[in-house]
Amino acid sequence: MLADASNFVQPVDNTFIIIVSICVFFLILITALMITFVIKYNSKKNKKAKNVHGNVPLEVTWTVVPVILVLYMFYLGWTGYKHEVSPPKNSMVVNVYAQMWRWSYKYSNGVESDTLFVPINKPVKVLLHSRDVDHSFYIPAFRIKKDVIPNRTNFEWFLPTRLGTYDVFCAEYCGLRHSYMYSAVVVLPQDKFDQWMAKQAASDSDTPADTTSM
Amino acid sequence: MSGETLALSQNEHNVNYLDYQGKHKGIWGWLLSTDHKRIGILYMITVLSFFAVGVTLGFLIRLELLTPQGTIVGPQAYNEFFTVHGIIMIFIVVIPVIPSVFGNFFLPIMLGAKDVAFPRLNLLSWYLYIIGGAMILLSLVLPGGAADTGWTFYIPYSVRTGTNMIFTLAAVFIIGFSSILTGLNFLTTIHRMRAPGMGWFKMPLFAWSLYATSWIQVIVTPIVGITLLMVIVERVFHVGIFDPTLGGDPLLFQHMFWMYSHPAVYIIIVPAMGVISEVVPVFSQRTIFGYKFIAYSSLGIAIFGSLVWAHHMFATGMSNTAEFVFSLLTFLVAIPSAIKVFNWTATLYKGSIKLEPPLLYALAFIFLFSIGGLTGIIQGALNVDLYLTDTYFIVGHIHYVVFGGTGFGLFAALHYWLPKMFGRMYNKKVAKVAFWITFVGFNILYFPFLILGWLGMPRRSYHYLPQYQVYHVIATVGSWILVTGLLIMFINLLVSIIKGKKVTEENIWGGETLEWKVATPPTVENFEEIPQVVEGPYEYKQNEYELEEEVK
């Protein structure tokens, strides 16, 4: 149901599934124990309670085992994060501009667009700029998100792995039309992308010529 | 003659606190009373009224989200709804509710004291609280409109919006002082006013939880106070602190806001954990499992919980060091909560369990809070958080923790202590029916949030794409079921206070803490004589005598 369109999908989904599995295990364990005890030791059947003040080995176990498990979860999240903040040197750089309430993109050759076109299987590094308040650049199909904060250039990178058009949301509340602040990212084959870029560059170079002739 | 007056006045102090006629009569006997029990009731009436307003706003938010846009209101009204819903629920309902209602009423009695350490300060806290609360309600109707920034007031948006921000921030500032004073009062009471013989480890665990909570309140609430004051200064005098257009740093605001507001989550949840630690052993009729582990884990939560604030900011592009440290500490803060959950479950083992309404709510707390805690762990992992933060997943998580935790803890406390407070019993059958409707409605409402979040639905969205609608419809139907359950629960409790079956026995549920050894309802002075404490709060010695007899 959820698109799988970047190199970060597998690591994020795997970490999520591993942690959720551990969590579900503990939730079922606790719930099953509660239900069992409530039935087994119901006062109708079990008229006399027995005092059990505690059990130190048990306390140590249910402290140490969760500590080991959470350290493992931490490790998974941390290695995934390290990858997300280490863009390859050969990444294509795109500047992303956020403002109330639209996204715009500017490529290094000066081409501007309100939809993000990227070639497949080529790393893209986006530099995030805000023109007013906080926003957050969010592409669910790529499993990435980064806040866009004024006076601060955050970055993010991804490797698109599947052709198609995917939603770009603003995830940080930014006022009246926050929920309408959509855009799209379009993943194209390299040749189609080059064609698009060439066409854009041509029309862009026309525009300034037109204005000077005016 | 003088002997007669003395006898009369002593007699007066033995009347129950509801019938007591002091210096002031009628309504003034309540509004000017420094009796911790009457102040507890004042809080109960006001906090629950605000809760009703918060629920109404939540209900309207869900109704709006039934369709992708424009069901009942426009985007501006919607943004104000979720902002005021958050402000009311966080700052004037769940932060104060358990300490100020049940802490005020029962902490002195549980410690064997006649009142809190500073009774007048206690009344002042309530006045500060209602002034702040009234200002929030006023902001809804004043020209300019209620705040529309979300309850987090993030800068720069909060310095740009034209709504009544200063008024709202001032209200939260005032409420903060109410919280600080209550914390200070409880700390002094716990340190100085325990009955002879009540050492630290003979205190009920509810008192322990209030002790940990009060420290957090006193230490971190001033941070949010000063932060909100700085926002006001920035808006009025244009001093650049947080606003980037004036050379300020918006991330500084986020750090300062969460430095309070994350520990505030523990101010919210720890007292509810204290309630659960009372209810579980009483309805199992046995001693609590791992008393010291539960007591120390409250302090562990208070300490670690104050050091994890920046996990709300993983997506802001902090340094790798900050991401590393805050993620690691976030995972570790889960451990003391897990210890509590395991110990409560173990307390049921070999008990003689009576599944009365308070225990039902307590067990629901353990289940719902576990989901809340575990969904928190999921977001502790950095790469997963970068995907899930600011989506419906976090909204689901906060509602499982705050409503499933503190809300259900509150319901457990109401069903546990209300008969003691008013000397009247509610209809238990109706209470159980209300429980199941509330519990089922809760999950139908909030579980779809977790799915919506995983599917990428951003939070605080008036409008959404059609692929998300099915989950929104399910959640909205859940809200109708939940509200039905809440109505039945509260009407049942209200009816019981007015004309419920009279209860006069001291020990209604078979508890061993001191509130079950005083009159029902308690007398004005709580105790004719300050008790001498020799045993811990959940000894259930009877179990051991019976066991010995069996052996013979």
Side-chain angles (χ1 to χ4, degrees), chain B residues 291-313:
Chain B
Y291 172 95
K292 280 198 182 179
F293 291 93
I294 296 181
Y296 281 129
S297 63
S298 286
L299 293 181
I301 290 173
I303 295 163
F304 276 110
S306 301
L307 300 171
V308 297
W309 73 85
H311 70 207
H312 296 266
M313 301 165 59

Side-chain angles (χ1 to χ4, degrees), chain A residues 51-52 59 145 173 180, chain B residues 69 148 286 343 387 389 544:
Chain A
N51 284 348
V52 186
E59 298 278 355
K145 180 185 300 113
Y173 173 72
Y180 294 91
Chain B
Q69 61 183 349
D148 64 342
R286 50 153 283 184
N343 279 297
Y387 175 56
T389 188
E544 273 146 56

Side-chain angles (χ1 to χ4, degrees), chain B residues 188-207:
Chain B
T188 319
T189 308
I190 292 168
H191 270 277
R192 307 296 304 168
M193 299 186 62
R194 281 173 286 136
M198 182 174 282
W200 284 94
F201 293 109
K202 289 206 173 93
M203 275 201 319
L205 286 164
F206 183 57

Side-chain angles (χ1 to χ4, degrees), chain A residues 97-103 128-136 147-152 170 172-176 178 181, chain B residues 149 154-161 243-245 250 254:
Chain A
Y97 293 92
Q99 69 193 81
M100 295 152 91
W101 293 277
R102 60 184 290 262
W103 297 101
L128 306 168
H129 313 275
S130 167
R131 292 192 167 123
D132 39 48
V133 301
D134 292 354
H135 302 276
S136 194
D147 289 355
V148 190
I149 296 165
N151 283 8
R152 186 185 175 98
C170 174
E172 185 69 64
Y173 173 72
C174 57
L176 187 69
H178 158 66
M181 192 167 157
Chain B
T149 58
Y154 271 16
I155 280 181
Y157 185 69
S158 58
V159 290
R160 285 172 150 251
T161 176
D243 185 355
T245 57
Q254 294 191 20

Side-chain angles (χ1 to χ4, degrees), chain B residues 112-430:
Chain B
K114 293 193 170 179
D115 206 318
V116 291
F118 309 112
R120 290 200 188 115
L121 205 60
N122 202 11
L123 185 63
L124 176 66
S125 305
W126 181 72
Y127 276 100
L128 291 175
Y129 171 80
I130 53 163
I131 290 169
M135 284 171 74
I136 300 284
L137 291 186
L138 262 178
S139 80
L140 276 170
V141 291
L142 282 180
D148 64 342
T149 58
W151 72 278
T152 47
F153 309 123
Y154 271 16
I155 280 181
Y157 185 69
S158 58
V159 290
R160 285 172 150 251
T161 176
T163 52
N164 286 316
M165 279 311 295
I166 293 181
F167 201 71
T168 309
L169 295 175
V172 174
F173 182 78
I174 292 170
I175 295 164
F177 272 92
S178 161
S179 184
I180 294 170
L181 294 181
T182 302
L184 207 57
N185 218 337
F186 285 0
L187 284 179
T188 319
T189 308
I190 292 168
H191 270 277
R192 307 296 304 168
M193 299 186 62
R194 281 173 286 136
M198 182 174 282
W200 284 94
F201 293 109
K202 289 206 173 93
M203 275 201 319
L205 286 164
F206 183 57
W208 264 106
S209 75
L210 290 177
Y211 184 70
T213 309
S214 299
W215 272 116
I216 316 177
Q217 280 175 289
V218 170
I219 292 172
V220 301
T221 315
I223 303 175
V224 77
I226 201 77
T227 309
L228 300 180
L229 212 56
M230 282 156 90
V231 178
I232 295 173
V233 167
E234 183 155 47
R235 276 189 74 122
V236 177
F237 301 108
H238 302 288
V239 181
I241 304 168
F242 305 121
D243 185 355
T245 57
L246 299 169
D249 181 3
L251 278 195
L252 179 65
F253 174 83
Q254 294 191 20
H255 275 291
M256 293 185 70
F257 180 82
W258 289 117
M259 225 178 267
Y260 165 73
S261 295
H262 190 76
V265 175
Y266 297 101
I267 298 177
I268 292 166
I269 197 70
V270 173
M273 292 171 157
V275 172
I276 305 311
S277 303
E278 296 298 321
V279 169
V280 173
V282 170
F283 291 90
S284 305
Q285 285 297 296
R286 50 153 283 184
T287 184
I288 194 152
F289 194 95
Y291 172 95
K292 280 198 182 179
F293 291 93
I294 296 181
Y296 281 129
S297 63
S298 286
L299 293 181
I301 290 173
I303 295 163
F304 276 110
S306 301
L307 300 171
V308 297
W309 73 85
H311 70 207
H312 296 266
M313 301 165 59
F314 285 151
T316 57
M318 292 186 298
S319 72
N320 289 350
T321 317
E323 304 264 348
F324 182 95
V325 171
F326 282 106
S327 170
L328 185 61
L329 288 171
T330 299
F331 275 112
L332 292 178
V333 80
I335 301 298
S337 297
I339 291 174
K340 280 182 195 280
V341 168
F342 291 134
N343 279 297
W344 292 325
T345 310
T347 300
L348 296 167
Y349 177 67
K350 293 200 171 171
S352 179
I353 298 168
K354 289 197 179 70
L355 204 56
E356 301 280 12
L359 186 63
L360 269 178
Y361 282 106
L363 297 179
F365 168 101
I366 298 175
F367 177 77
L368 299 174
F369 174 74
S370 294
I371 296 181
L374 294 169
T375 49
I377 285 183
I378 293 167
Q379 288 168 105
L382 286 167
N383 62 344
V384 177
D385 183 76
L386 288 179
Y387 175 56
L388 290 179
T389 188
D390 280 320
T391 67
Y392 261 64
F393 198 86
I394 188 76
V395 186
H397 162 70
I398 193 178
H399 283 90
Y400 267 97
V401 172
V402 172
F403 192 171
T406 306
F408 277 71
L410 167 69
F411 304 151
L414 283 167
H415 287 86
Y416 181 52
W417 278 316
L418 223 53
K420 184 79 196 178
M421 296 163 83
F422 293 98
R424 288 182 187 269
M425 182 53 82
Y426 48 82
N427 183 325
K428 288 184 190 174
K429 271 196 188 131
V430 176

